[in-house]
Structure formats: structure tokens, C-alpha cells
Amino acid sequence: MYRILPQSFFEWCAATPIGRFIAASVWTMPILETFHIMGLALLLGAAFTLNLTVLGVGVRIPSERLARQLFPWAFGGLLIAIVTGIPMFMSAAPLYGHSGPFALKMSLLVSAIVLQTVIHKVPRMYGSTGGRIVACLTLVCWFGIAYAGRAIAFSNLLGMQPY
Amino acid sequence: MSLVALVHWINETAFSQYLRESELAFPLTEAIHLIGLGISVGTIVWVDLRLMGKVMRDVRISEVVSRLQPWAIGGFTVMMLSGLLLFLGKPDNYYSTAAFKLKMLLLPLAGLNVLVFHRRVFPNVARWDEGVAAPWQGRMVGAVSMSLWIVIIVLGRWTAYFADPLYRSMRLF
């Protein structure tokens, strides 16, 4: 990501009071990560249940109706993950900026949100072959986010070069 | 052989050394463990919330259980197998971590909760299948399951921290 955003942006993030506080604190990072992972469980579970239904193997209920019911929970999970994720990023921004898996995670996050929106907004996505393909892709993106997220801590996990 | 000795013996096996020293094995197993968590706890939560009458009220309870249960079991199996590998990789570290011990105590409770549900609560499902929520026993099972899983997730994340020699050297407790 350091090729897209200037190095000064990452340095500014780390130099903010929040960034410096977290970097110096022993407890803040574990606490943030704990909430981050709970947001993830909520979000992944909702996305999984919903996309399974679009694929025709989940709960037998019109997926549009299911989507309306799961959306607040999925959105809540995503919100928790983002709200805890941003300060974690700020604490070591230059490091994340040079991390391949982090760039992958952000790309997948944008793709997953776009694809999930496509499923909801485009008519006749439910029960069609096109819808199933998009639902599969969306699931790969959501779970890829979890994988890439874990890989950030071991940046050699995917054998990736910094991007 | 005492438990500590057994754990230490596992720690010294070639397999255990391979798991923790390999550049790929341990991180990959952790990632799989996390994805299993997303699938199993992610679906368990919906069953719990349905029992409590918080989501999918217009879907029969038996249907939510039967359609989501296979995924919960599948995800749980992935989690258990990958978790076992994680333990085999660093048994000495985990064995001496309080968060890990507590997690291992709570996991059987979560299992017991599922057992209670299937033995005592679910057999009567026909009586309240289309209701807004399950009777109090079912709502209780849902609430207990959600609470246990939240605590187990927290303890799991803490295990990874406090089994780490770097965090240990800080003597936080």
C-alpha cells in the first residue's frame, strides 16, 4: 500500500496520540484484537449463513427476507471490526503499509463489500446461476480476509512481497 | 507419567518441533483455526439467537437448527483438529498458560450445553417450533452457548498472547 499512499501518511498515523498510545501500551492491543475477532465471528457467521442461502444450501427462507434480518448483525460485526481495526493499524502504520497480506486484506475487504452489495441490490440474484457464482466469490473474499488478517502477523505466510 | 511430563515429552518430539519451527505450518494452522471459528461459532450464534427469539422469527426453529447444524459441526471439527495441531506445536507454552487452561475447562461445558439441548429441549420442539422464541429452557441454552463462546474466543486470543515468551517476560500477573 506504500505505493498508493505516501509514506508520510503512514508516519503521520503512527505519530498521532492514538498510534503512540497503543504502541507504548501492553494491554490495548490484546483488548482491541479480542473485540476485532468477535466482530469477525459475527460478521463471518452472518455472511456465511446468508451466502449459503443464496447458494440454496442454507436456511430455506427467501434470502431477501433473511438478508434484511441478518444485515444489522453483519453490519454490527463489521463496524466492531473496523472500529477496532483502525487504531490497531495506526499503532504500527508504516509496518502495515509495507505488508503484502495487509494490502491483500484491504483489497478483499473492498471486494467483499462490493460483491455483497451487488447480491442485495441487483434483482434476480437469488436462486440464479449468476447469483450463486457471485455468492461463492463473496464467501471466498470474506474468508480470505480472515486468512490474510492472520497472515499479517506472519508476513511470510503467503510468500508475499510487500506491495 | 504425570501430565506435565507427558506434555513436555510431546514438546520434545520431532513433530512438535517441526510444527513450531516451520515457517508455514503454525501460521497456516492458526489461519485454518480462525476460519473454522468463523464457520462454527458464526452459525451457532444464529441458532442461539433464533432460540432467544432475536432473529429469523418467521422461520421454524427446527429448520434453523437442522439447516445450520451441519455447518456448525463441520466448522467445529476443523477447529478441533487445527486446535489440536496448535497445541501439539507448543504444548509446554500452552500448558503453563492460565487462559488456555480455562478455555479447556469451558469447552466441555459448551459441549454439555449442546447435549442438554438435544436431550432435554429439542425433543419437544414440535410444541414451540413456530413460536417467536423457545421456552425458557431453550432461551437459556441459547444464552449460555453465546456467553460461553464469547468467553472461549477471548481466552483463545489471550492464549496466543500469553503463551508468547515475549509477553511472558513482561510478568503481567
Side-chain angles (χ1 to χ4, degrees), chain A residues 26 30 33-34 37-38 45-46 48-49 52 58-61 65-66 69-70 73 143 147 150 154 156-157, chain B residues 23-24 27-28 30-31 34-35 39 42 46 55-56 58-59 63 67 71 150 153-154 157-158 161 167 172:
Chain A
V26 173
E33 267 200 63
T34 304
I37 205 167
M38 286 201 277
F48 190 64
T49 310
L52 280 186
V59 181
R60 275 197 214 92
I61 162 180
R65 215 145 38 103
L66 182 70
Q69 298 189 16
L70 294 193
W73 299 87
F143 281 91
Y147 182 77
R150 202 68 279 260
F154 312 91
N156 55 1
L157 178 48
Chain B
E23 286 208 338
L24 198 63
L28 194 64
E30 266 192 12
L34 190 67
I35 287 168
I39 295 179
W46 304 111
V55 290
M56 300 186 254
D58 47 353
V59 186
E63 179 172 342
R67 300 288 277 188
W71 298 98
I150 288 172
I153 290 175
V154 170
R157 185 59 264 206
W158 286 8
Y161 268 107
Y167 265 78
L172 296 166

